[in-house]
Amino acid sequence: MDKPLAARLTDYCGRTGTYRPEEDQLPAVLEPQLGAYLTALGIGEVTIWDEFFRESLKVSTDAFAADHPAHWLESKCSTVAAPGFLLAWDFDDVAGLLALTNDLHNKCDPAEFFEGFCLGPNDYCDIFNPVEMFERLPALGH
């Protein structure tokens, strides 16, 4: 890492109120949108986890509001979880994967809050890798 450049970028972000560049985690700028979605689902509290599932923190849905600071753990926040709800980022990904029960999906469609597309039961979590990259395991039930 170019430490002088990183320091200048951090200084610039602090002076201008700009969010730092991020990857492998929920961008801080999306926290209010996530909070609004969790509220629409009726979820009042979530657990956020670091990328190694060593550190966690319970936070209220209200804590994702725009006037609250971004959530940081010792290691980056890679998972947001509640009963029936899981939002996670894989190593070196810039897109998150959302898993939720049918009951939660029927309460509020994620497409009302986020850009994305649905995966079916025969899709894989590595949806962004080319199919020919490696042999996939057989789908469940086949």
Side-chain angles (χ1 to χ4, degrees):
M1 173 173 43
D2 183 332
K3 290 187 181 195
L5 179 60
R8 288 187 4 237
L9 180 60
T10 298
D11 177 63
Y12 173 82
C13 290
R15 285 185 290 106
T16 61
T18 306
Y19 286 109
R20 298 183 322 199
E22 299 161 329
E23 66 177 56
D24 305 347
Q25 64 182 345
L26 177 71
V29 73
L30 282 180
E31 284 194 9
Q33 194 69 10
L34 175 59
Y37 181 55
L38 291 168
T39 298
L41 292 175
I43 296 174
E45 182 180 73
V46 296
T47 303
I48 59 175
W49 290 90
D50 72 345
E51 66 181 320
F52 302 109
F53 290 94
R54 294 185 190 139
E55 184 185 3
S56 67
L57 178 66
K58 286 194 181 286
V59 297
S60 75
T61 299
D62 296 340
F64 290 107
D67 59 347
H68 286 74
H71 291 87
W72 300 101
L73 298 170
E74 181 85 16
S75 177
K76 64 184 172 234
C77 172
S78 292
T79 303
V80 178
F85 179 96
L86 182 74
L87 181 60
W89 293 262
D90 199 5
F91 179 75
D92 281 345
D93 260 342
V94 294
L97 293 174
L98 172 64
L100 49 126
T101 62
N102 285 335
D103 287 342
L104 287 179
H105 188 275
N106 291 336
K107 274 187 176 180
C108 185
D109 185 350
E112 293 180 29
F113 292 83
F114 306 107
E115 181 181 332
F117 55 92
C118 293
L119 300 178
N122 294 323
D123 290 315
Y124 291 84
C125 65
D126 66 339
I127 190 73
F128 302 109
N129 285 328
V131 174
E132 61 277 0
M133 187 169 175
F134 56 86
E135 186 176 343
R136 305 306 204 252
L137 296 175
L140 295 174
H142 292 263

